[in-house]
Amino acid sequence: MKRHDFIVGTMVRSGFRTSLKGFDQFCMCVEMYSDNPTATIESIYARVALDCNCTKSSVEKNLRRLFESSDASAVISKLFDMDFSDRGNKEIVSMFSNYIALQHESYA
């Protein structure tokens, strides 16, 4: 299984809404952050915005809408069995990327 498919499958099982623009953008952010964990969230937003033909602020807004509608804090909390309530986009992208990295054997 490819990493992208694993990310999408994990998001769907976790309850992220696939109908929102932020779903695909979040997948891209997770992949980019996984490839370069030292990257800033702003640089990741800029690359996603370029790929999606939109602005960085649109990417941020779309992710925020995705996270709010999917209750991403609860999703991340379930994945890590820890409390991640009231986290920002960067923390959610980072933690989800870390989860994907920990599950490397599942998609390698």
Side-chain angles (χ1 to χ4, degrees):
M1 174 183 296
K2 292 184 179 181
R3 180 175 63 173
H4 178 77
D5 296 335
F6 182 76
I7 293 169
V8 169
T10 302
M11 289 176 62
V12 168
R13 283 190 310 277
S14 299
F16 283 95
R17 292 183 55 198
T18 59
S19 61
L20 298 175
K21 287 181 190 177
F23 185 89
D24 291 330
Q25 292 173 346
F26 181 62
C27 287
M28 287 186 220
C29 287
V30 169
E31 287 185 281
M32 288 179 190
Y33 190 84
S34 295
D35 290 340
N36 184 7
T38 61
T40 63
I41 197 71
E42 291 81 19
S43 67
I44 291 173
Y45 284 172
R47 288 187 286 171
V48 170
L50 188 62
D51 288 348
C52 295
N53 199 26
C54 63
T55 64
K56 290 188 303 187
S57 61
S58 294
V59 172
E60 182 177 11
K61 179 185 69 160
N62 292 337
L63 291 184
R64 197 170 35 243
R65 184 175 298 139
L66 173 73
F67 297 155
E68 289 169 358
S69 70
S70 304
D71 195 13
S73 296
V75 169
I76 301 297
S77 296
K78 280 193 294 187
L79 290 176
F80 284 94
D81 198 27
M82 296 171 68
D83 184 26
F84 287 98
S85 56
D86 300 324
R87 296 294 175 173
N89 290 4
K90 179 178 172 45
E91 289 87 2
I92 293 172
V93 169
S94 174
M95 292 307 297
F96 202 87
S97 296
N98 290 341
Y99 175 79
I100 296 302
L102 289 171
Q103 300 301 317
H104 181 276
E105 297 81 31
S106 299
Y107 62 84

